Amino acid sequence: MRQRVEIYWIKPLLVFVFCCCCSNGVTGENKPIQTFVIPHSHMDVGWVYTVQESMHAYAANVYTSVTEELSKAKDRRFIAVEQEFFRLWWDTVATDSHKRQVRQLVKEGRLEFIIGGQVMHDEAVTDLDDEILQMTEGHGFLYETFGVRPQFSWHVDPFGASATTPILFALAGFNAHLISRIDYDLKDAMQKNKKLQFVWRGSPSLKAQQEIFTHTMDQFSYCTPSYLPFSNSSGFYWNGVALFPDPPKDGVYPNMSLPVTKDTVHAYAQTMVDNIKQRAEWFRTNHVLWPWGCDKQFYNSSVQFNNMDPLIKYINQNSKEFGVTVQYATLSEYFQAIYQSNLTWEVRGSEDFLPYSTEPYQAWTGFYASRNVLKGLARQASSQLHAAETLFTSYRVMFPDGPVAKDWALSKLRALRWAVSEVQHHDAITGTESPKVADMYLQHLKQAMMGVEELLAALFLLPHSLNRPNVHQPLEQHVIVYNPLAWNITTIINITVTFPNAAVYDDKGQPVPAQIQRSAQSNVTNDLFIMVELGGLQQRNYLIKFSEKHCSQRPKCMWTYEAKGVLFERRNIQAWRKTGRRLLPVLSGCYKLMFDQDTNLLHSITHLQEKREVMMTQDFWEYHANGDVKVGPISDNYIFSANSSSVRAYKAVEMEIIPGKIVSEIRQYFYRWESDKDYAYSVTTRVPECFGTKARCLRLEQTYSLGPLRLNTEVVLRTSSSLKNNRTLYTDDNGYQMMKRPYRKFTNNTLARNYFPMVRAAYIEDDVSRLVLVSDRAHGVSSQAHGQLEVMLHRRLWNNLPWNLGYNLTLNDSSIVMPTLWMTLSSISATSTRYQREAIELQHRPVVVPIDQPSVSFPVHSVVLPPNLHLLSLSVPGWNYSANHDVHLSRKGEHSEPDYDRVLLRIMHLYEEGEDPELSKPVSINDLLQGIGEVKELEERSLTGTWDLPSLQRWKWKTADNLDTKFKTCRSCGNFTVTIAPKEIRTFFVHFSSSNF
């Protein structure tokens, strides 16, 4: 995404770049600077153009052209980053000749795969599960096809850097990590002090165990400097600018740089050398990484290499004069040179580089909330994929020859894996893409989800025959409810029904507690709440019997409660002169919620067991964004730039309370004007009863409705409380770990620079209590005042910036969004034991599938992990490679069928060291999968499965403390006992006994 950087960051610095005094080019022991020219093309999987358009216009040509050009000269190199484009090229474009050339280039190390994931994922708003998935997809393909395993990252374009990403890369076997986009002022300070390189210990619990050397790109970022003092052309991009929709027929692209000739070679060389010397001043070693390329480069790489070849030759022929040597290189060659320098490196702890700012008024915190619908569907698809993977794996173990065709099932799973992986791209889930590209992501997700719904239906109805007589029972509905978590759960499911009365029975014919009431979303439907109890990875059948008449049989009627609502008069904010006089309580086993009848807003929450009352209100506010660049800073897809404080987004509030025996519901409707017929925003708060467990009733389940918004507004849900948090906030990094966010003051733009991403959770606290929110999708979150927690839920923006208009990147999002948050208020110790699990339970709610007729589903014994462990993955990947590396290399290139018997298992410890007296302890487990089948072999692997962990020897970088990095692994785990320490993620290949397969 080069243009965005130039406008907001690079261009203002270029005047300085070529006017400053350069060093003499000699560092260390009077040696010339060794320059590693790394050819690359940054190819966004989406952004302005769809994947299909990009493949047609340039992406396919990159790999065709580079393959041919690398084969012509042994010294040429290239790094390939985003695997989605490469896999599409490999499967649909590459000839047999191209494939032979690629295999040879990979073998020689001249074509190097970097990162290796499907995409270069965003780091702010992506979820841990999905980051791992997209890496696993790419790594599996590369290892299967070429026998290679990426060991370096190239995270040059995500908008800020998370502390979770380096942990995941270390777990995947990477030796070094590369980032670029961090705060402009921080990068400037790091450059001056030669601190752009460090050893990053992203996890306070894992510490040195998963540390990784990290290189931060300097102020030029990943693009070759484009300014030339002797030409108006675009620097070192001799092949010009890619064209959409079709490449030019004559092969001549616009904005072609001056070719390298006898007349221009010295000017090019001097410009390049000056830039190299400037960069050398910012790093500790005698080696300079010089990225050659930018967005959409190398689609005509013969032009590129034929110009760079003589330039490199000329500089090396005059290296004494220039004080510089230059060579084509891969990223591994650069990092190998840094590693061999044997320096002692500074350690960076678990802090991240979020948020990201490029200038005083350019805080990239708006994208945390851009395209809320896409963010929600992406998480929904990920959840559905997890459920389908675990269910299909259980089915395969129990019925290896069952009637659900394994190749058909795998194709459905792979399609959704691809779609979920694709949308993790840093111009996808971020919401920073053009509308047609957003539509492409949505279409891919929906289409793949429909396929997986077919798979789920088949798995639920089989192995029994589907050819049963169709019994017409219009007043009965059978549903299957599946728990995709490896925990026992008691929860409430909600089914929308048309009948006003219903009775519910479980698979043993016993009545089940239920509640029915008029739907919050429609006057012609009803919400049926059903209490369900499910073991880990278990499914149950429920029968719903409907009736148009009220139930008259007393004992039977007591199981389904018919809840009625009480509507409260609409209140105008102008009448809020006296509040708190008429308070109405809503009680559960955990809380007393007080609502103010003078405002129709929440007034306070009392935790009944802890006997503490916290004053609290919740309502909607909006920031009015500037849309005119001539007036001042603007908000757009990326940037949040508030010109002033937020204002109330409503003039009147209406409320309805529906007391219930399973759940009580409070519906609040917010009107822009008191006389409006339709509300602009709503909050539906569900207060569950306990039913034997206090844990579930501790959460208040809230669903919101917003939209369509007025143009140039950014709407937040503001929760204001009496907690004394000093404006300090805690938010999660990718659902993996919590980060402390103290409120900071800046000369400019303080409001926007104190916004942070919330992927799964955020909380504020004082010395006694903690208020926690967990979310079903990513949002922006801040604490702008004491006791305040505000969540940006939705944005609709338009501005007249030519760059945005030219690429159709204005965020004129007129959609209606309906996100969900669960809120908990309790002591710090109590919430410390719960919020991690709450976030996962919200993300992986039970799967409810209506069916037309009864089904006896396949039996699964409950799979239950200890409360501090989470079953992160249980899938049949279908890779055909051998787990033995030597064997795999000997077979490489041979076609073989997918391996349906190998199961990929990941288990994660949810807690940090010291977070809880009991739950933070290491925990040992054995026979954890006995509910599925008898384990024959358990082999520990790297995070993405491609490394046999005992054989993985990552580079050990020197630090002042030289902490021990050893950790226990098991190749063939004796008696299948595994110990998992705080925050560990351990990955295994599992084979079940032949009695199952």
Side-chain angles (χ1 to χ4, degrees), residues 574-608:
Q574 300 298 328
W576 291 1
R577 294 178 180 85
K578 292 184 179 179
T579 60
R581 299 173 302 164
R582 298 185 299 154
L583 299 180
L584 183 70
V586 176
L587 292 168
S588 73
C590 294
Y591 296 121
K592 178 174 69 174
L593 283 72
M594 302 297 285
F595 288 86
D596 191 335
Q597 294 181 65
D598 290 316
T599 64
N600 286 334
L601 296 181
L602 179 65
H603 175 269
S604 64
I605 299 179
T606 301
H607 192 294
L608 297 178

Side-chain angles (χ1 to χ4, degrees), residues 564-714:
K564 304 294 182 182
V566 178
L567 188 63
F568 293 82
E569 181 183 351
R570 190 179 302 188
R571 296 293 184 183
N572 193 315
I573 62 172
Q574 300 298 328
W576 291 1
R577 294 178 180 85
K578 292 184 179 179
T579 60
R581 299 173 302 164
R582 298 185 299 154
L583 299 180
L584 183 70
V586 176
L587 292 168
S588 73
C590 294
Y591 296 121
K592 178 174 69 174
L593 283 72
M594 302 297 285
F595 288 86
D596 191 335
Q597 294 181 65
D598 290 316
T599 64
N600 286 334
L601 296 181
L602 179 65
H603 175 269
S604 64
I605 299 179
T606 301
H607 192 294
L608 297 178
Q609 280 70 44
E610 296 172 5
K611 295 181 173 56
R612 189 191 180 195
E613 180 185 46
V614 175
M615 309 304 290
M616 189 181 301
T617 60
Q618 285 187 307
D619 57 353
F620 293 98
W621 293 65
E622 60 188 19
Y623 293 96
H624 294 163
N626 170 40
D628 187 352
V629 293
K630 296 177 182 178
V631 173
I634 59 166
S635 282
D636 65 7
N637 297 43
Y638 310 85
I639 290 166
F640 173 40
S641 183
N643 294 331
S644 59
S645 299
S646 58
V647 297
R648 274 198 179 90
Y650 61 93
K651 295 295 184 182
V653 187
E654 197 172 81
M655 179 172 66
E656 183 180 11
I657 296 179
I658 307 173
K661 291 187 176 180
I662 287 183
V663 59
S664 293
E665 193 168 87
I666 302 96
R667 301 172 183 175
Q668 294 164 291
Y669 305 101
F670 295 78
Y671 296 84
R672 288 199 180 101
W673 302 100
E674 185 179 15
S675 59
D676 284 357
K677 179 183 176 184
D678 299 318
Y679 58 85
Y681 316 104
S682 73
V683 183
T684 300
T685 303
R686 288 173 181 157
V687 185
E689 281 300 331
C690 291
F691 284 91
T693 169
K694 295 292 182 190
R696 189 178 53 77
C697 80
L698 276 172
R699 67 184 181 224
L700 303 171
E701 303 176 2
Q702 297 189 313
T703 301
Y704 313 89
S705 175
L706 302 88
L709 303 185
R710 290 180 289 187
L711 203 57
N712 284 333
T713 57
E714 301 167 88

Side-chain angles (χ1 to χ4, degrees), residues 621-833:
W621 293 65
E622 60 188 19
Y623 293 96
H624 294 163
N626 170 40
D628 187 352
V629 293
K630 296 177 182 178
V631 173
I634 59 166
S635 282
D636 65 7
N637 297 43
Y638 310 85
I639 290 166
F640 173 40
S641 183
N643 294 331
S644 59
S645 299
S646 58
V647 297
R648 274 198 179 90
Y650 61 93
K651 295 295 184 182
V653 187
E654 197 172 81
M655 179 172 66
E656 183 180 11
I657 296 179
I658 307 173
K661 291 187 176 180
I662 287 183
V663 59
S664 293
E665 193 168 87
I666 302 96
R667 301 172 183 175
Q668 294 164 291
Y669 305 101
F670 295 78
Y671 296 84
R672 288 199 180 101
W673 302 100
E674 185 179 15
S675 59
D676 284 357
K677 179 183 176 184
D678 299 318
Y679 58 85
Y681 316 104
S682 73
V683 183
T684 300
T685 303
R686 288 173 181 157
V687 185
E689 281 300 331
C690 291
F691 284 91
T693 169
K694 295 292 182 190
R696 189 178 53 77
C697 80
L698 276 172
R699 67 184 181 224
L700 303 171
E701 303 176 2
Q702 297 189 313
T703 301
Y704 313 89
S705 175
L706 302 88
L709 303 185
R710 290 180 289 187
L711 203 57
N712 284 333
T713 57
E714 301 167 88
V715 177
V716 301
L717 171 78
R718 177 175 292 175
T719 303
S720 301
S721 76
S722 56
L723 297 182
K724 297 176 174 60
N725 75 315
N726 195 30
R727 294 192 290 188
T728 296
L729 174 71
Y730 294 80
T731 72
D732 66 315
D733 259 9
N734 312 109
Y736 178 73
Q737 58 189 350
M738 299 302 293
M739 312 297 287
K740 186 176 182 179
R741 313 291 194 185
Y743 187 86
R744 297 184 298 162
K745 291 185 177 180
F746 299 90
T747 305
N748 301 297
N749 216 19
T750 291
L751 194 158
R753 292 186 78 172
N754 276 290
Y755 253 86
F756 300 90
M758 173 179 74
V759 177
R760 288 188 191 171
Y763 62 77
I764 59 173
E765 65 184 21
D766 60 16
D767 294 338
V768 180
S769 296
R770 178 184 286 169
L771 173 67
V772 183
L773 297 179
V774 298
S775 175
D776 71 341
R777 67 197 71 184
H779 301 290
V781 64
S782 186
S783 182
Q784 296 288 338
H786 299 299
Q788 199 178 88
L789 185 57
E790 71 176 39
V791 182
M792 186 176 289
L793 296 176
H794 199 12
R795 317 173 76 219
R796 184 180 182 185
L797 303 164
W798 186 92
N799 64 77
N800 61 359
L801 181 69
W803 185 83
N804 279 341
L805 294 174
Y807 287 116
N808 194 17
L809 289 176
T810 53
L811 189 68
N812 192 3
D813 185 350
S814 60
S815 60
I816 297 174
V817 304
M818 300 185 69
T820 295
L821 295 173
W822 287 355
M823 180 168 66
T824 302
L825 176 67
S826 191
S827 66
I828 293 174
S829 60
T831 55
S832 292
T833 66

Side-chain angles (χ1 to χ4, degrees), residues 442-456:
L442 290 168
Q443 180 188 354
H444 289 177
L445 288 168
K446 289 175 181 176
Q447 189 172 343
M449 290 173 76
M450 287 174 61
V452 167
E453 283 175 11
E454 294 174 17
L455 172 60
L456 287 170

Side-chain angles (χ1 to χ4, degrees), residues 45-331:
V45 181
W47 188 37
V48 174
Y49 304 101
T50 66
V51 169
Q52 294 84 351
E53 288 173 328
S54 296
M55 279 293 292
H56 176 71
Y58 77 94
N61 287 344
V62 169
Y63 291 115
T64 299
S65 174
V66 164
T67 299
E68 293 169 354
E69 291 304 313
L70 292 186
S71 300
K72 293 178 181 178
K74 288 288 185 183
D75 61 331
R76 293 175 175 175
R77 302 286 191 273
F78 193 80
I79 62 169
V81 183
E82 298 86 359
Q83 286 311 300
E84 178 159 335
F85 282 128
F86 181 83
R87 290 176 72 176
L88 288 171
W89 175 79
W90 183 262
D91 291 338
T92 63
V93 177
T95 64
D96 290 341
S97 174
H98 287 140
K99 290 184 178 182
R100 284 192 297 272
Q101 287 176 311
V102 167
R103 291 187 189 279
Q104 184 62 32
L105 292 169
V106 171
K107 184 178 179 180
E108 294 172 3
R110 298 198 293 117
L111 175 62
E112 183 171 75
F113 294 102
I114 301 299
I115 306 177
Q118 280 289 91
V119 298
M120 187 187 299
H121 69 255
D122 173 65
E123 298 194 42
V125 297
T126 43
D127 187 85
L128 168 81
D129 296 11
D130 305 323
E131 292 178 359
I132 295 172
L133 170 71
Q134 71 88 20
M135 276 204 298
T136 304
E137 277 294 284
H139 287 193
F141 164 77
L142 289 174
Y143 191 56
E144 199 171 57
T145 309
F146 304 109
V148 298
R149 299 170 286 203
Q151 297 177 55
F152 305 96
S153 85
W154 181 263
H155 252 227
V156 296
D157 205 26
F159 320 137
S162 159
T164 299
T165 299
I167 299 167
L168 299 183
F169 286 163
L171 287 165
F174 285 22
N175 287 313
H177 178 37
L178 185 146
I179 63 176
S180 182
R181 291 185 184 263
I182 66 172
D183 267 3
Y184 70 99
D185 44 3
L186 176 60
K187 178 173 283 194
D188 184 56
M190 292 170 72
Q191 282 183 174
K192 290 175 180 175
N193 295 300
K194 295 190 176 184
K195 292 189 175 183
L196 290 170
Q197 295 171 320
F198 50 88
V199 171
W200 199 352
R201 293 179 184 157
S203 166
S205 295
L206 298 178
K207 301 181 179 67
Q209 181 178 317
Q210 299 301 344
E211 70 184 16
I212 193 166
F213 179 81
T214 302
H215 171 101
T216 310
M217 282 190 155
D218 55 49
Q219 68 187 36
F220 296 99
S221 188
Y222 63 85
C223 291
T224 309
S226 59
Y227 171 78
L228 292 181
F230 55 90
S231 168
N232 290 325
S233 297
S234 58
F236 298 87
Y237 312 126
W238 291 282
N239 58 343
V241 178
L243 289 183
F244 289 81
D246 300 304
K249 292 180 180 178
D250 60 3
V252 178
Y253 291 81
N255 197 27
M256 301 283 282
S257 299
L258 291 176
V260 176
T261 63
K262 289 182 180 179
D263 295 331
T264 62
V265 67
H266 184 78
Y268 266 115
Q270 192 63 59
T271 300
M272 187 172 177
V273 165
D274 287 347
N275 182 257
I276 289 167
K277 289 179 177 179
Q278 183 183 11
R279 286 177 156 168
E281 288 292 307
W282 299 329
F283 294 92
R284 294 178 59 200
T285 73
N286 204 41
H287 314 96
V288 169
L289 186 160
W290 204 79
W292 176 38
C294 198
D295 292 42
K296 312 176 193 68
Q297 290 295 309
F298 286 88
Y299 50 83
N300 190 355
S301 62
S302 63
V303 177
Q304 290 286 79
F305 282 113
N306 288 336
N307 280 278
M308 184 59 87
D309 285 351
L311 178 56
I312 287 178
K313 182 179 180 181
Y314 180 83
I315 293 174
N316 288 336
Q317 286 174 341
N318 298 279
S319 61
K320 278 196 174 181
E321 173 193 339
F322 286 129
V324 167
T325 64
V326 184
Q327 67 188 70
Y328 288 125
T330 60
L331 189 60

